[in-house]
Amino acid sequence: MSVFCKIKLRPEVEEYLQATFKSAKLISAVGPLEVEKKYERLLNNLSHPPAFTTVRVNTHLASVEHIRSLLSEEICKQYKGFSVPLLQHPKLPDILLIPIIGPRKDLQELTNQVIVGAQCGNAVLRGAHVYAPGIISTSKFMKAGDLVSVYSDIEGKCKRGAKEFLGTKVFLGNGISEVGRSDIFNANGPLKGLGVKMMEPIYLSPSFDNVLSSYIFLQNLPSSVVSYVLNPQPGEKILDMCAAPGGKTTHLATLMHDEGEVIAIDKTADKVKKISQNAALLKLNCIKTFCYDSTKALATDQTECGRGGPPFLRESFDRILLDAPCSGMGQRPNMAYSWSLKEVTSYQPLQRKLFRVAVQLLKPGGILIYSTCTITLSENEEQVAWALQTFPCLQLQSQEPHVGGEGMMGAGLSPAQLKQLQRFDPSDAVLQGMDVNSLQSFKYEDMIKLANKDCIGFFIAKFIKV
């Protein structure tokens, strides 16, 4: 069975979400029918990719217009002569938006089939090819060079090496097998490298493998908003507490014209290495990376203070970004979210521990941004309410640019406070799909509005320490 369905959740996680998105307060405010429609849109939209691929130009090395021209040529080449508009965001000047074509309804499903895991399937929906480790099953006689249809096993029920799979699966498009079945499932262990080159993906978006690597960075739209809201200035000392993989870190350094100091911390060595690699690739020199646990980044006295690195003395930073570890329920596309309720609700204590450290490390008059890529009330608005009650020195601030929606009611924040927050809510978008013809009829303003709404789920709060 091939279906394109709403996100698959564990029953207790869906009940938890319903308690937030179908609360009595929301029903009282907008009515039961609207609440039900928004909730169903949320589950449906989470399983689909956003309407645009978002590319951030490294303005440290090149102008947006120059890179836009080079990207247009590259995409036209990939799309075999067909051109799509590359839109510069009016409030995020280094951001280019590339419309995603799809879902395409003219594709024919083939006899030869390749089944991939849900995570691999999500990547394919965002424009990736299929790599061999993600392949779970293939047709019995599949060989290199065969045309194949690729499907995602969203329930995780396909057995590795199976020659046929009749369970629930989602059609992702067609491609050419780069390796045969016998190579994929050999006795020497999992094969590496490209498994299927996607030629007709159900959602068409450009591949950026080895494309302008030093000049562009793939980044979801709300993630790029964060750096603008923090508004780092040249010469300042900035802390990115949970920095991997370095997208926001490098954006901050770029906005500062590579002048000042951006301290990037993550507790996983491989992730820290990735931040350093990204900084080097983008030729940014003001970034210093450290493998460290940010919950322990506060030094109690001068003797504990690290040499240029953590732990730090109180009031060491002009601005701090706490892009906190979270349940990640805003990521798109996500056809199958496998976490338990215990895992989903486990992040609030860690986020508060990090927040306490951030407040103490921030200078008076400094700015603190708290952000997550999740949609839960407990990790977002409830954390803001807790912070304002716990730290009298903090005041909530309005955000600029403000391209998302306002915060969600239910955490005890006032209407004025909710307007100071940015919540990017996937349920705000009505999925309409794009094809070659509809692209020509869209107005620029309408496409920007769509890009602001049809993106990942995300949350941003801005505080000043007085």
Side-chain angles (χ1 to χ4, degrees), residues 3-9 14 17 36-50 103 125 203 331-335 375 426-427 429-433 454:
V3 293
F4 210 101
C5 54
K6 64 184 183 182
I7 187 172
K8 186 173 181 60
L9 303 166
E14 181 152 8
L17 280 187
E36 183 63 35
K37 280 197 295 185
K38 274 183 69 73
Y39 181 68
E40 286 303 312
R41 275 206 307 269
L42 175 70
L43 299 187
N44 181 61
N45 292 3
L46 284 173
S47 71
H48 290 70
L125 288 175
Y203 278 100
Q331 294 291 357
R332 294 174 60 192
N334 193 350
M335 292 181 282
I375 56 176
S427 71
V430 177
L431 295 189
Q432 49 199 42
D454 194 351

Side-chain angles (χ1 to χ4, degrees), residues 173-302:
N174 299 322
I176 297 176
S177 173
E178 296 288 311
V179 289
R181 175 185 170 86
S182 59
D183 296 317
I184 297 170
F185 305 111
N186 62 51
N188 299 323
L191 188 69
K192 295 182 179 180
L194 191 61
V196 178
K197 187 173 184 179
M198 297 299 296
M199 307 302 292
E200 296 179 328
I202 194 166
Y203 278 100
L204 181 62
S205 56
S207 170
F208 291 96
D209 289 347
N210 301 313
V211 174
L212 299 172
S213 301
S214 292
Y215 298 94
I216 61 173
F217 197 97
L218 285 175
Q219 191 167 34
N220 287 301
L221 185 140
S223 299
S224 62
V225 173
V226 167
S227 300
Y228 277 102
V229 174
L230 185 60
N231 193 27
Q233 299 300 306
E236 289 184 332
K237 189 173 183 179
I238 312 295
L239 175 62
D240 189 349
M241 293 184 72
C242 306
K248 299 178 188 69
T249 304
T250 54
H251 197 191
L252 294 171
T254 304
L255 292 177
M256 296 165 65
H257 308 297
D258 204 25
E259 297 174 14
E261 193 173 18
V262 180
I263 303 293
I265 299 177
D266 203 276
K267 66 178 184 179
T268 306
D270 286 346
K271 291 182 178 181
V272 173
K273 185 178 179 182
K274 183 65 176 176
I275 301 170
S276 299
Q277 288 172 344
N278 281 328
L281 189 65
L282 300 175
K283 296 180 171 52
L284 294 164
N285 301 311
C286 74
I287 296 169
K288 295 180 180 178
T289 60
F290 298 94
C291 185
Y292 202 80
D293 181 352
S294 280
T295 63
K296 301 172 182 176
L298 178 67
T300 55
D301 57 49
Q302 188 75 43

